Amino acid sequence: MEALQEMEEAEQTPEDMISNDFLDDLETDVAVEEASVTSDESDFDWSSIDTSHLPSSYKTNSWQEKELLQLADHFFQQYTHLCPDRKPLFIHPLNECGVQKFVSTTVRPTLLPYPDMYYWSGCASFVCDYLIMEPLKCPITPPSSLYSSTTILKYQRGNCFDFTVLLCSLLIGAGYDAYCVHGYATLEMCSLDQTQELCPRLRKPPEVPEEEDPNKYRIKYPLEPQSQFELQQKAKKEEETESTQEEEREEEVVVEVDKPKRDPLHGLRVHAWVLVLSGKRKVPETFFINPFTGNHHSTTDECFLGIESIWNHRNYWVNMQDCRKGCKDLSFDLNDSFCWEIMLSESNKPSQLPTESSQKDTDDMEKEEIGMSFEMPLSWVAQIKVSCREYENPFSRGKKVILYDKAKQEKWAAYANEDGLVERLTVYADSDRTEVLEMKEWFKHREDLLYMREVNKQTQLITEHFKPGHPLLLKAHSYTSLEPETERTVEFYHTARVDGLWKRFENATEMTEYFVGREDFLHMRHTEFGERDQKMEKAGVTADANPRPIVQIKEYFHRNPEKPADEDIEERIFMVIDDVIQLTYHLELHDTIASKVVFCRVIGREKREDEIFLSRENTVKYQPWSSEKHKNMRRLYDLLWELRAEQKDLKQQVRDSEAEMLNILMVREDEEANIKLSVSIYSTAKREQQHEAMVLEEEQKGSQSSLEKESQHIGEEDESLAHHTATNSTM
């Protein structure tokens, strides 16, 4: 080894010496700068942790582990000899007890007994929420130590390698083909800086273009003839405009001041993340997981700049591919020996039959392979355990705050807030996050089944969303004020309602209701209100005794295919104050103007209850192409009677709708004033807390009642004593 080192030193050129000195100076400068910036985040002293209670596997190595370390040293020497220009491998760092451990044995596959931890998204979100991020001491070199996942979970903090090993252990336990990755990434990813990124909650799903079925029988029309000279001139103009635009962009880049400076350590910053290969657990495509954020990334993402090595609980691979273009062109076929150099030879590879001429050579090679074959020892890490209390409350600081581009996201544990708030997203108008545009809040375990609230700070519009099962069948409620007869929109779970109502809009002058799936094909009802009697309002009469007068009711119906078009009503208008009823019928395919029937009040005749005055000249109007049935006066008379009765029912339905809206406001005010959270039967910790609170409340009530009884008894004794003294004085 000494001779090899002397040869390498002799082969170094003056340029290499200068570049190494430059990198060393740059490394020290940036290390000092980042240490000063992150002094508040990394104030935890890892050297002071107690390791006396740890198992013996943490403090010593078995004979298999010692042999594995020898193989790792031999592999590392071969690697440095063949690739002298590459950085040292992260292969056997120290653990928390100061003992060298091979990185693959630090991975402990574990499946936690929680439903969300069976999926990669649940594992990733738990790791990034539960642990506090600590930056690497030196941003361009891997850490000298790698602690066990049990220690990391105990103190709830760690660097990117600690995050990665824990997440990889959980993913392998859940059945994923996951690997820890040692590589290089951008400054934003290494420092967990998401201020330039769009919040995932605000990302719109990609639009899937509708595929049109090609028709091979479609007529293909000849293309219009085009002049080649005109096309050439057009191309020249486009080239000129592009060149001018590029010049303008270059000028803008030079003038621009707010653009972030280029990172001097770009491509050198060490980072660790998780690689998930396709195949197992029906993963369709290979992807990366950033353990700091829990987000998945494509393998072609420009944030990942290169890979040195990967490992899991069974083996260790070194990347032999060129990473000048990042990870875009990398192949993740680990069986390809040209792309990946494996440390421990796998025995399940198919062997080729040798020829007779090289029988002796192959026998020697087989002996060497048998000697080289080595089975990975079991992990030295103890079983990873996460209690129910720790799983339900993953935030060590009470809550987690994430800053995005013009947005801020806050997260709390369940039951941390009395109103059930677990997440809040605030959207701002500027990058400095001073002017609030919108606020979204998510809730859990509320008895009123409210799970999300949106607040538009510009319009003051509040929209609440409910889960199925609310006593009033609410789905969404949009309002600016909880005062009656103000503008609001209420959505219902229409499948649970008898009338099929799914949305109702109301303000001071109108109310519109929308229906779905009704047998009478009604899909909309619009009601217009007039102004109340001002004399009764001044007298202090309540709104129930002085309702809003109904001016007009409109109803719209879908087409009923079982009826002819001129008998199937499309629009029905009841002008209550003017005493006019207008019917508009559906159109046939060949018709252009719909048939109409209008019943008007006779001018100069007083309106009487239970009386219908029908006149062909004054009260009925037909289009000339209407059906002959409409010209029968007896039928029109019966139809008018039916419409009068339905008008009464409609007015009562409108009053019921008004009463329902008032009831919704009263119920929502009471629910917000007395918020109650439900506790799942599977949450034993919360059940115990609830039981202790109930016992304490009962004890307080018992003590209060006993004090009241004692005071009452003392009062009775005082009264009897006073009465006795009074009787003695009279005697």
Side-chain angles (χ1 to χ4, degrees):
M1 287 294 294
E2 294 178 358
L4 187 62
Q5 290 178 358
E6 291 177 359
M7 291 176 62
E8 290 178 356
E9 290 177 359
E11 290 176 355
Q12 283 185 345
T13 61
E15 295 178 0
D16 295 335
M17 301 276 291
I18 295 172
S19 62
N20 291 334
D21 295 339
F22 172 74
L23 286 177
D24 292 339
D25 296 339
L26 194 59
E27 177 183 345
T28 54
D29 293 341
V30 175
V32 171
E33 181 181 353
E34 293 197 357
S36 62
V37 172
T38 59
S39 59
D40 296 336
E41 299 179 359
S42 58
D43 55 354
F44 184 77
D45 185 12
W46 283 102
S47 61
S48 62
I49 63 174
D50 183 17
T51 60
S52 60
H53 65 283
L54 295 177
S56 60
S57 61
Y58 286 61
K59 304 174 183 178
T60 59
N61 284 324
S62 63
W63 66 269
Q64 288 180 322
E65 290 179 310
K66 292 178 181 178
E67 188 175 353
L68 178 61
L69 290 175
Q70 292 178 0
L71 290 175
D73 288 334
H74 181 66
F75 181 79
F76 182 74
Q77 292 175 6
Q78 289 182 332
Y79 170 78
T80 53
H81 177 70
L82 296 174
C83 307
D85 297 333
R86 293 186 59 173
K87 295 291 185 67
L89 294 176
F90 185 71
I91 195 165
H92 45 50
L94 302 177
N95 68 351
E96 54 264 46
C97 296
V99 180
Q100 271 192 344
K101 295 289 184 179
F102 188 64
V103 288
S104 294
T105 60
T106 309
V107 179
R108 176 65 187 263
T110 304
L111 177 62
L112 296 178
Y114 305 106
D116 293 342
M117 304 300 286
Y118 186 66
Y119 303 95
W120 73 263
S121 57
C123 297
S125 62
F126 171 76
V127 171
C128 69
D129 290 341
Y130 192 79
L131 302 182
I132 299 173
M133 173 263 186
E134 289 185 350
L136 295 174
K137 293 182 180 179
C138 179
I140 62 174
T141 57
S144 59
S145 60
L146 181 64
Y147 292 176
S148 64
S149 297
T150 54
T151 302
I152 296 301
L153 285 173
K154 179 180 179 181
Y155 295 99
Q156 290 188 250
R157 58 181 62 243
N159 55 39
C160 55
F161 287 85
D162 301 322
F163 275 66
T164 299
V165 170
L166 175 58
L167 178 56
C168 190
S169 301
L170 298 178
L171 292 176
I172 295 175
Y176 289 94
D177 192 9
Y179 301 83
C180 302
V181 181
H182 162 215
Y184 306 94
T186 58
L187 171 63
E188 291 76 17
M189 182 165 288
C190 296
S191 59
L192 191 55
D193 182 9
Q194 299 175 267
T195 55
Q196 303 298 324
E197 298 180 9
L198 182 66
C199 179
R201 288 278 192 182
L202 301 176
R203 293 174 186 168
K204 297 181 180 179
E207 297 181 358
V208 180
E210 297 181 358
E211 297 182 359
E212 297 181 357
D213 296 333
N215 189 358
K216 62 180 180 179
Y217 299 107
R218 185 178 57 189
I219 300 175
K220 295 182 180 180
Y221 296 98
L223 298 175
E224 295 182 1
Q226 292 182 349
S227 173
Q228 295 295 330
F229 177 76
E230 291 180 355
L231 293 176
Q232 291 176 0
Q233 295 297 322
K234 186 177 181 181
K236 287 182 180 180
K237 289 182 179 180
E238 289 179 355
E239 290 178 359
E240 292 177 358
T241 53
E242 287 179 359
S243 61
T244 53
Q245 288 177 358
E246 288 180 359
E247 292 177 358
E248 291 176 357
R249 289 173 186 170
E250 291 177 358
E251 292 177 358
E252 289 178 358
V253 169
V254 172
V255 175
E256 189 175 4
V257 180
D258 297 334
K259 187 175 180 180
K261 297 181 180 179
R262 177 176 172 81
D263 182 18
L265 296 179
H266 183 76
L268 300 175
R269 293 186 180 274
V270 175
H271 190 55
W273 63 92
V274 176
L275 166 68
V276 180
L277 295 183
S278 60
K280 288 187 177 181
R281 289 294 306 272
K282 298 181 179 180
V283 175
E285 188 177 1
T286 301
F287 63 95
F288 294 147
I289 302 177
N290 184 12
F292 283 164
T293 61
N295 298 332
H296 78 284
H297 299 264
S298 172
T299 55
T300 60
D301 196 323
E302 296 181 354
C303 295
F304 301 96
L305 304 178
I307 294 177
E308 288 285 355
S309 61
I310 66 172
W311 68 90
N312 62 359
H313 63 299
R314 292 178 178 173
N315 220 321
Y316 188 92
W317 293 264
V318 177
N319 178 31
M320 307 303 294
Q321 304 170 75
D322 189 5
C323 295
R324 294 178 184 177
K325 296 182 180 179
C327 301
K328 295 179 180 179
D329 302 329
L330 294 186
S331 170
F332 293 97
D333 182 9
L334 301 182
N335 294 323
D336 188 353
S337 59
F338 292 99
C339 298
W340 298 93
E341 185 66 33
I342 191 170
M343 176 178 162
L344 301 178
S345 60
E346 297 180 349
S347 60
N348 56 358
K349 287 185 178 180
S351 59
Q352 297 179 355
L353 292 175
T355 59
E356 295 180 359
S357 60
S358 59
Q359 187 68 31
K360 293 183 180 180
D361 297 337
T362 53
D363 290 341
D364 296 337
M365 291 175 65
E366 286 179 0
K367 290 180 181 179
E368 290 180 1
E369 287 181 359
I370 292 173
M372 287 292 293
S373 62
F374 182 81
E375 185 177 357
M376 183 71 66
L378 297 177
S379 176
W380 56 272
V381 180
Q383 185 179 0
I384 299 175
K385 296 180 180 180
V386 177
S387 65
C388 183
R389 188 187 298 272
E390 293 171 344
Y391 176 73
E392 292 178 353
N393 187 12
F395 307 110
S396 60
R397 296 177 178 175
K399 73 173 184 177
K400 183 177 181 180
V401 181
I402 308 173
L403 300 179
Y404 294 99
D405 182 22
K406 300 180 181 180
K408 181 176 71 172
Q409 187 179 22
E410 302 168 272
K411 292 183 179 181
W412 292 268
Y415 304 103
N417 297 313
E418 295 181 355
D419 58 351
L421 179 65
V422 295
E423 185 178 351
R424 178 187 292 137
L425 176 63
T426 308
V427 182
Y428 299 90
D430 54 343
S431 300
D432 296 334
R433 291 181 284 275
T434 57
E435 182 182 354
V436 180
L437 291 180
E438 185 181 4
M439 186 182 296
K440 294 183 180 181
E441 296 176 333
W442 285 266
F443 303 86
K444 277 187 178 181
H445 308 298
R446 287 185 57 139
E447 289 191 355
D448 58 2
L449 301 178
L450 175 70
Y451 73 91
M452 188 174 76
R453 178 185 290 130
E454 301 177 73
V455 181
N456 191 327
K457 292 296 184 178
Q458 293 181 328
T459 61
Q460 300 301 320
L461 179 65
I462 302 173
T463 304
E464 298 174 336
H465 301 269
F466 300 85
K467 292 181 179 179
H470 193 276
L472 301 178
L473 306 177
L474 296 178
K475 184 178 181 180
H477 182 202
S478 301
Y479 61 93
T480 55
S481 172
L482 288 177
E483 293 295 326
E485 298 178 8
T486 56
E487 185 172 336
R488 71 187 65 258
T489 302
V490 181
E491 295 184 19
F492 302 90
Y493 288 97
H494 63 275
T495 54
R497 291 183 64 103
V498 180
D499 55 357
L501 178 66
W502 76 274
K503 186 168 74 171
R504 180 185 290 138
F505 168 80
E506 183 191 23
N507 57 20
T509 60
E510 60 182 351
M511 181 172 61
T512 307
E513 298 171 299
Y514 301 88
F515 303 88
V516 175
R518 287 178 61 109
E519 295 181 355
D520 57 358
F521 296 92
L522 174 68
H523 66 88
M524 192 178 80
R525 179 186 295 139
H526 179 75
T527 307
E528 295 181 6
F529 299 98
E531 296 182 357
R532 285 190 174 90
D533 190 357
Q534 296 181 356
K535 295 181 180 180
M536 298 184 68
E537 285 185 352
K538 292 179 180 178
V541 180
T542 60
D544 296 336
N546 184 23
R548 293 177 292 179
I550 300 174
V551 177
Q552 179 178 277
I553 301 175
K554 288 184 181 180
E555 289 187 320
Y556 299 89
F557 299 83
H558 287 302
R559 180 77 172 90
N560 185 359
E562 297 180 357
K563 292 182 179 181
D566 57 357
E567 296 182 11
D568 188 15
I569 298 175
E570 180 182 11
E571 180 184 8
R572 190 165 65 175
I573 303 176
F574 296 91
M575 301 178 186
V576 180
I577 296 180
D578 297 335
D579 196 15
V580 176
I581 301 175
Q582 178 179 326
L583 305 179
T584 304
Y585 293 86
H586 282 278
L587 289 171
E588 289 286 1
L589 294 176
H590 57 275
D591 292 339
T592 56
I593 301 177
S595 301
K596 292 185 178 180
V597 179
V598 181
F599 298 95
C600 303
R601 185 174 62 183
V602 180
I603 299 176
R605 184 179 178 86
E606 295 182 0
K607 182 180 178 182
R608 300 178 183 178
E609 293 184 0
D610 299 332
E611 179 186 13
I612 293 180
F613 183 81
L614 188 63
S615 171
R616 186 184 296 274
E617 291 80 10
N618 298 328
T619 61
V620 181
K621 296 182 180 179
Y622 294 105
Q623 297 294 347
W625 45 84
S626 300
S627 174
E628 292 294 331
K629 296 180 181 180
H630 295 300
K631 298 179 181 180
N632 188 347
M633 291 296 295
R634 177 64 182 175
R635 185 184 179 282
L636 293 175
Y637 185 78
D638 295 338
L639 178 61
L640 186 55
W641 266 110
E642 294 176 4
L643 292 174
R644 291 291 188 190
E646 290 182 2
Q647 181 175 334
K648 278 187 179 180
D649 296 338
L650 280 177
K651 291 169 68 175
Q652 184 59 40
Q653 290 179 17
V654 171
R655 297 305 181 193
D656 293 342
S657 298
E658 289 182 288
E660 185 180 12
M661 295 296 282
L662 291 175
N663 185 35
I664 290 173
L665 297 182
M666 293 174 59
V667 171
R668 285 299 301 138
E669 285 181 353
D670 182 64
E671 289 175 345
E672 288 297 327
N674 304 298
I675 298 176
K676 296 181 180 179
L677 302 181
S678 61
V679 180
S680 173
I681 59 175
Y682 302 105
S683 180
T684 55
K686 281 296 172 185
R687 284 285 179 183
E688 291 176 359
Q689 291 181 3
Q690 192 178 28
H691 179 69
E692 292 175 359
M694 291 175 63
V695 171
L696 182 62
E697 187 177 357
E698 289 178 358
E699 290 178 354
Q700 291 178 354
K701 288 182 179 179
S703 61
Q704 288 179 359
S705 61
S706 61
L707 290 174
E708 290 177 358
K709 288 181 180 179
E710 289 179 1
S711 61
Q712 185 178 3
H713 181 66
I714 293 171
E716 291 177 355
E717 289 181 353
D718 292 340
E719 289 180 359
S720 62
L721 182 62
H723 180 70
H724 182 67
T725 53
T727 53
N728 290 335
S729 62
T730 53
M731 291 175 63

